[in-house]
């Protein structure tokens, strides 16, 4: 079966075009729209420095979350820390989409990504939105172009999809995301959009999204920096005509929630493993914790440690750095009961070091996929966090980001 994309969801179309925000003809404006009103939900950055599109979308969703029809996304410019003009520009982007697609007011949402503190080049954005509206389609190529248009320092687009049966009806969820740097989500992702033909009410959709985000985007990190623009949106147009999931107690709610979580986890892992300059895909599992939240806190602390990440890049089995990071996570545990593995190789058992086979450790750390497991023996809870290493290229990319 061919890859499912956002246009595999009945009623959705997409486009990705070049508006001149990026150089050399690269795609930089994406547009996704539904042929009918959607129930919508969003999670956004908790940073005090919030981009204009974040503020705009929050206001729109507070007013109406049952009549959203489109999302426009631009790359190269974050429209963050741009004052009142930035707010006007975000609102104008939405209005331009609504006019171009003949949609009602306040039915389009906006996302932006790129450099902070630079006004949007609105002449180019206007042209890009007009072009995207003309070129919208429902072919796989249209969806691919949309996912490529939202990339910044990403080396590849991120797409994911799942199908689930709800009330005897097949329902599709498909999404796209971008992110490679400034990745340490806090209640959101970098930029992400999931669309579905499921029939679901606003409150259960919000609940499902919060659950999914906590277990996906909020379990990844590249560099410990939360973005000003973090946004994850979900649009559900109800085209599948499944029995409406109108509350969290509905028998189909867990299946929908888990399918949404699976899509978000897939996208989140792709973001973490495409970290700027990354050479290693790192999966950290913390088990034996008292609570899932505590396990995740320890995992995220390990994942953000520059000393851990540089050791992984250097293929150095310096496992003491992992324990040191866990110990400063603010979660109480008894180090005398802790055990640690790199892949299948145990390094620590019940708080005491195990003789390390350095040759075997080097082999394990030379692989692209690296697994770290920390067992606390404090309870039954476990959490998984995804990250990458710090390479020399990370410094180069971020030293030259604006130039």
């Amino acid at each position: 079966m061919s890859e499912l994309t956002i246009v595999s969801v009945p009623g959705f179309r997409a486009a990705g075009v070049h508006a001149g925000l990026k150089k050399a003809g690269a795609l930089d404006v994406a547009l996704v729209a539904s042929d009918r009103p959607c129930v919508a939900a969003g999670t956004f950055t908790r940073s005090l420095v919030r981009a204009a599109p974040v503020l705009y979308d929050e206001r729109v969703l507070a007013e109406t979350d049952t009549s959203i029809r489109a999302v426009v996304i631009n790359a190269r410019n974050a429209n963050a820390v741009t004052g009142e003009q930035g707010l006007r520009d975000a609102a104008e982007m939405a209005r331009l989409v609504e006019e171009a697609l003949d949609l009602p007011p306040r039915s389009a949402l906006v996302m932006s990504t790129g450099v902070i503190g630079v006004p949007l080049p609105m002449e180019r954005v206007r042209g890009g939105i007009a072009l995207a509206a003309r070129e919208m389609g429902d072919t796989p190529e249209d969806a691919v172009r949309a996912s490529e248009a939202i990339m910044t320092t990403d080396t590849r687009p991120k797409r994911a999809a799942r199908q689930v049966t709800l009330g005897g009806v097949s329902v599709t969820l498909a999404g796209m995301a971008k992110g490679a740097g400034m990745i340490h989500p806090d209640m959101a992702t970098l930029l992400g959009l999931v669309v579905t033909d499921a029939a679901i009410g606003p409150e259960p959709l919000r609940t499902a999204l919060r659950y999914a985000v906590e277990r996906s985007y909020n379990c990844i990190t590249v560099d410990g920096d939360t973005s000003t623009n973090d946004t994850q949106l979900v649009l559900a147009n109800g085209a599948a005509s499944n029995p409406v999931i109108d509350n969290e107690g509905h028998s189909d709610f867990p299946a929908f929630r888990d399918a949404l979580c699976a899509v978000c986890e897939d996208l989140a892992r792709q973001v973490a493993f495409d970290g700027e300059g990354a050479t290693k895909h790192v999966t950290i599992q913390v088990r034996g914790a008292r609570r899932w939240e505590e396990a995740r806190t320890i995992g995220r602390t390990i994942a953000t440690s520059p000393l851990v990440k540089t050791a992984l890049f250097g293929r150095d089995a310096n496992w003491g750095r992992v324990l040191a990071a866990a110990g400063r996570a603010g979660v109480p545990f008894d180090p005398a009961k802790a055990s640690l593995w790199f892949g299948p190789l145990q390094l620590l058992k019940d708080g005491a070091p195990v003789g390390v086979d350095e040759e075997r450790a080097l082999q394990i750390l030379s692989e692209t996929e690296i697994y770290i497991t920390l067992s606390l023996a404090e309870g039954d809870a476990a959490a998984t966090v995804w990250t990458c290493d710090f390479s020399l290229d990370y410094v180069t990319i971020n030293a030259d980001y604006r130039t």
Side-chain angles (χ1 to χ4, degrees):
M1 183 176 68
S2 60
E3 178 192 6
L4 292 172
T5 67
I6 52 178
V7 299
S8 302
V9 180
F12 282 94
R13 296 178 298 147
V17 301
H18 172 65
L21 305 177
K22 294 179 183 176
K23 299 177 182 178
L27 305 176
D28 49 28
V29 170
L31 183 57
V32 178
S34 170
D35 63 5
R36 66 197 75 191
C38 298
V39 174
T43 56
F44 303 91
T45 181
R46 295 176 67 181
S47 172
L48 293 177
V49 182
R50 301 157 74 76
V54 169
L55 299 174
Y56 181 83
D57 290 352
E58 286 180 319
R59 283 201 297 265
V60 171
L61 290 176
E63 295 173 6
T64 175
D65 53 13
T66 59
S67 58
I68 301 303
R69 293 284 300 274
V71 178
V72 62
I73 309 168
N74 75 272
R76 189 59 181 170
N77 186 304
N79 193 13
V81 198
T82 46
E84 291 297 321
Q85 184 61 51
L87 294 172
R88 289 192 291 270
D89 290 342
E92 183 180 357
M93 287 179 65
R95 180 183 58 78
L96 290 168
V97 169
E98 292 154 1
E99 291 179 354
L101 299 180
D102 194 22
L103 303 178
R106 311 293 274 181
S107 64
L109 299 175
V110 181
M111 290 193 276
S112 299
T113 182
V115 176
I116 296 170
V118 178
L120 275 172
M122 284 304 294
E123 284 302 315
R124 295 179 181 180
V125 172
R126 292 184 190 102
I129 290 174
L131 179 60
R134 293 194 298 269
E135 295 196 358
M136 294 197 75
D138 58 4
T139 71
E141 291 75 20
D142 295 314
V144 168
R145 287 173 64 85
S147 66
E148 291 175 349
I150 65 176
M151 294 166 54
T152 50
T153 57
D154 307 60
T155 65
R156 52 189 177 273
K158 286 88 177 171
R159 298 185 293 271
R162 295 292 188 277
Q163 290 184 311
V164 62
T165 299
L166 303 176
V169 178
S170 179
V171 169
T172 302
L173 300 91
M176 62 183 189
K178 63 78 53 186
M182 198 177 279
I183 307 290
H184 188 72
D186 183 10
M187 296 305 294
T189 178
L190 273 292
L191 292 186
L193 171 65
V194 174
V195 299
T196 179
D197 56 346
I200 185 170
E203 187 54 39
L205 184 61
R206 285 192 293 268
T207 300
L209 179 60
R210 287 193 295 266
Y211 177 93
V213 163
E214 280 296 296
R215 288 156 180 78
S216 57
Y217 300 115
N218 284 358
C219 288
I220 67 171
T221 185
V222 169
D223 45 28
D225 277 310
T226 296
S227 171
T228 56
N229 291 59
D230 285 351
T231 302
Q232 170 65 49
L233 299 174
V234 180
L235 273 57
N237 69 6
S241 297
N242 57 287
V244 179
I245 301 172
D246 54 4
N247 62 79
E248 298 169 41
H250 194 286
S251 59
D252 287 330
F253 176 75
F256 175 84
R257 178 200 64 195
D258 292 347
L260 178 60
C261 191
V263 172
C264 291
E265 180 182 314
D266 193 340
L267 292 170
R269 284 165 54 91
Q270 292 180 56
V271 169
F273 294 166
D274 192 29
E276 290 169 337
T279 68
K280 310 293 183 186
H281 303 165
V282 185
T283 300
I284 301 171
Q285 184 179 57
V286 179
R287 65 192 192 198
R290 285 181 294 270
R291 300 168 56 239
W292 174 83
E293 292 82 359
E294 292 185 342
R296 186 184 64 171
T297 295
I298 291 175
R300 278 164 61 104
T301 305
I302 295 168
T304 55
S305 166
L307 292 180
V308 171
K309 293 161 77 70
T310 51
L312 295 175
F313 171 67
R315 302 180 299 165
D316 180 7
N318 193 345
W319 58 266
R321 293 180 175 182
V322 176
L323 265 293
R328 64 176 172 82
V331 176
F333 68 92
D334 184 355
K337 298 191 294 185
S339 299
L340 178 68
W341 292 261
F342 283 1
L345 181 65
Q346 187 164 18
L347 307 163
L348 186 74
K349 182 177 181 180
D350 298 330
V354 176
V356 178
D357 182 340
E358 293 290 351
E359 184 175 340
R360 177 66 178 129
L362 180 61
Q363 291 175 345
I364 291 170
L365 296 181
S366 296
E367 299 291 329
T368 300
E369 303 286 339
I370 296 176
Y371 298 86
I372 297 174
T373 304
L374 175 63
S375 177
L376 304 177
E378 298 284 354
D380 298 323
T384 303
V385 172
W386 299 279
T387 188
C388 59
D389 59 339
F390 266 163
S391 72
L392 302 177
D393 284 344
Y394 178 84
V395 176
T396 300
I397 291 168
N398 283 284
D400 297 335
Y401 183 66
R402 293 201 310 152
T403 56

